[in-house]
Amino acid sequence: MVKQERAARTRQALIQAAAEVFAEEGFVTASLSTISRRAGVSNGALHFHFANKGMLADAVEAEAAKAVHRITEAARAWQGDSLQTVVDATHELMRSLAHDIVVRGGFELAGDCTRRGETSLRTQWQHWVEDSLRRAERNGALAEGVSWADSARVIVAATAGFEVLGGDDNSWLSRQNVTRFWEVLLPRLAGRQDLDRLVSSGSRPSAAVSPAEQSSG
């Protein structure tokens, strides 16, 4: 059991270190020796867990995909099939991109044209937004004349922009910026009967910003 726990910690340390290096340098430039050194393990230990860099990148994307899934499922559990679900999930995703290096590294890999892993985080997010907007439309939550497909394209494009720009300037991922985006979009997107109930800054308690995040963003 002790050996298994040690192996699990080593594997997680390697994923964390790999995410950092991939986010900083990209997949092609990143070296396994840099990753193992960052994780504080030997090259042999790295190769015991991951035969090559591609497998390590797949592991980073898989961990990031789990994190995104937790974000979207939590938002739906909190707000159901409403526009607020999408608002809340967007806030949480941007927060994770700013503060969770595995999520940041996973999206960096998803945008790397030199590789195509098994998990496409951008596609995962796009499909969830599309499904959520379809549900909202069925519930009459969208404004008259606004389609779920057009709405999803705008939201996916905007969040992808926040993600890419946030790679160089973390302030793009701030709660304030995401709130302003929704303040502009929601009056056009939401049905009149729901607009007053929607919270552009996010309705979930976990969307509240910590003092550390305020000082960094």
Side-chain angles (χ1 to χ4, degrees):
M1 183 65 70
V2 172
K3 287 183 178 179
Q4 290 176 342
E5 290 175 355
R6 187 183 302 119
R9 286 197 300 270
T10 299
R11 187 178 190 278
Q12 195 57 43
L14 285 165
I15 291 173
Q16 185 86 10
E20 292 175 5
V21 176
F22 290 144
E24 293 167 6
E25 302 180 12
F27 177 74
V28 172
T29 307
S31 70
L32 291 178
S33 59
T34 301
I35 292 169
S36 62
R37 187 165 56 250
R38 185 79 62 94
V41 304
S42 67
N43 284 333
L46 185 153
H47 285 289
F48 175 80
H49 289 277
F50 302 101
N52 54 55
K53 189 165 64 171
M55 291 180 65
L56 188 49
D58 288 342
V60 171
E61 286 196 274
E63 285 292 314
K66 290 177 186 177
V68 173
H69 180 73
R70 287 193 295 270
I71 288 167
T72 54
E73 287 304 297
R76 185 160 287 164
W78 181 256
Q79 288 291 349
D81 296 335
S82 70
L83 280 176
Q84 191 66 57
T85 297
V86 184
V87 175
D88 290 354
T90 302
H91 274 285
E92 289 300 303
L93 178 61
M94 296 303 118
R95 182 175 178 271
S96 290
L97 283 164
H99 299 283
D100 186 335
I101 193 57
V102 174
V103 174
R104 175 77 256 163
F107 271 92
E108 184 70 31
L109 288 166
D112 194 322
C113 63
T114 63
R115 68 179 304 276
R116 287 290 180 266
E118 293 182 3
T119 306
S120 172
L121 287 168
R122 288 176 178 172
T123 301
Q124 176 185 345
W125 172 250
Q126 176 186 342
H127 288 172
W128 183 83
V129 172
E130 290 171 344
D131 179 59
S132 297
L133 269 293
R134 275 194 295 265
R135 291 169 182 244
E137 185 179 70
R138 283 198 299 267
N139 286 345
L142 298 187
E144 185 177 351
V146 175
S147 74
W148 70 263
D150 291 340
S151 305
R153 276 192 287 270
V154 170
I155 294 166
V156 170
T159 51
F162 282 131
E163 174 228 321
V164 172
L165 292 166
D168 294 324
D169 180 357
N170 215 38
S171 68
W172 280 98
L173 304 171
S174 69
R175 185 169 178 240
Q176 183 181 40
N177 275 346
V178 180
T179 297
R180 285 174 176 167
F181 162 71
W182 283 112
E183 286 174 347
V184 170
L185 186 61
L186 281 175
R188 177 70 179 87
L189 190 64
R192 191 169 297 177
Q193 73 279 5
D194 294 326
L195 187 57
D196 290 342
R197 295 196 295 268
L198 293 170
V199 184
S200 300
S201 58
S203 70
R204 294 190 65 218
S206 57
V209 102
S210 69
E213 289 176 58
Q214 285 180 331
S215 63
S216 67

